[in-house]
């Protein structure tokens, strides 16, 4: 495992503006990203976006659990807006998690590291 050039060596505190769910997710993933030397300061906005997506996903799921997936309107049963919010945030969280190397499939692809630290092919290209 190679360290990312400019990787953080200390875990930054979660942004104060993150919701409780967002802060919980930050505390879950950022320490491991820092320990693995897989995150630099300029990439923290991606982690923030990931934590917001996870928080929104949790809130939408809580609303669905409390109120159900549908509601009765004047024209009949309708799908609750939270179902769309849940779907959109699951998709966003999945994309951002992959970008950060947090998924099993993306961990092998997201090696980080400085140029020139990998094995060179016969053409002088890092592999």
């Amino acid at each position: 495992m190679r360290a990312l050039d400019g990787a953080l060596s200390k875990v930054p505190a979660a942004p104060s503006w993150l919701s409780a769910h967002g802060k919980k997710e930050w505390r879950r993933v950022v320490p491991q990203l820092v320990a693995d030397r897989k995150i630099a300061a300029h990439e923290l906005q991606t982690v923030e976006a990931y934590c917001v997506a996870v928080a929104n996903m949790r809130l939408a799921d809580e609303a669905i659990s409390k109120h159900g997936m549908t509601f009765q309107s004047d024209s009949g049963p309708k799908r609750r807006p939270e179902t769309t919010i849940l779907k959109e945030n699951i998709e966003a969280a999945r994309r951002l998690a992959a970008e950060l190397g947090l998924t099993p499939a993306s961990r092998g692809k997201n090696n980080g590291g400085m140029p020139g630290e990998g094995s060179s092919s016969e053409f002088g290209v890092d592999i």
Side-chain angles (χ1 to χ4, degrees):
M1 182 181 319
R2 296 177 299 178
L4 178 70
D5 187 24
L8 294 172
S9 57
K10 278 182 55 180
V11 178
S16 60
W17 55 265
L18 273 178
S19 69
H21 287 300
K23 287 177 182 174
K24 183 177 180 181
E25 189 64 10
W26 180 280
R27 289 188 301 269
R28 190 181 76 80
V29 300
V30 173
Q32 191 60 54
L33 289 170
V34 171
D36 291 345
R37 311 252 323 132
K38 297 288 187 183
I39 191 80
H42 69 276
E43 299 167 319
L44 289 175
Q45 286 183 328
T46 302
V47 180
E48 291 171 0
Y50 165 76
C51 291
V52 168
V54 169
N56 289 338
M57 180 179 72
R58 301 270 185 253
L59 290 173
D61 187 56
E62 288 172 4
I64 292 166
S65 293
K66 183 176 180 179
H67 303 290
M69 295 182 70
T70 60
F71 67 95
Q72 193 64 34
S73 74
D74 293 338
S75 60
K78 299 278 185 191
R79 189 172 147 175
R80 292 194 67 77
E82 291 89 343
T83 60
T84 302
I85 293 167
L86 177 62
K87 179 184 177 205
E88 290 171 350
N89 282 279
I90 287 172
E91 291 168 0
R94 183 179 292 143
R95 273 192 318 273
L96 292 163
E99 194 171 318
L100 291 165
L102 297 174
T103 64
S106 68
R107 277 193 292 271
K109 296 176 187 174
N110 186 1
N111 288 328
M114 294 173 47
E117 284 188 355
S119 303
S120 278
S121 72
E122 63 185 298
F123 304 108
V125 178
D126 288 346
I127 54 173

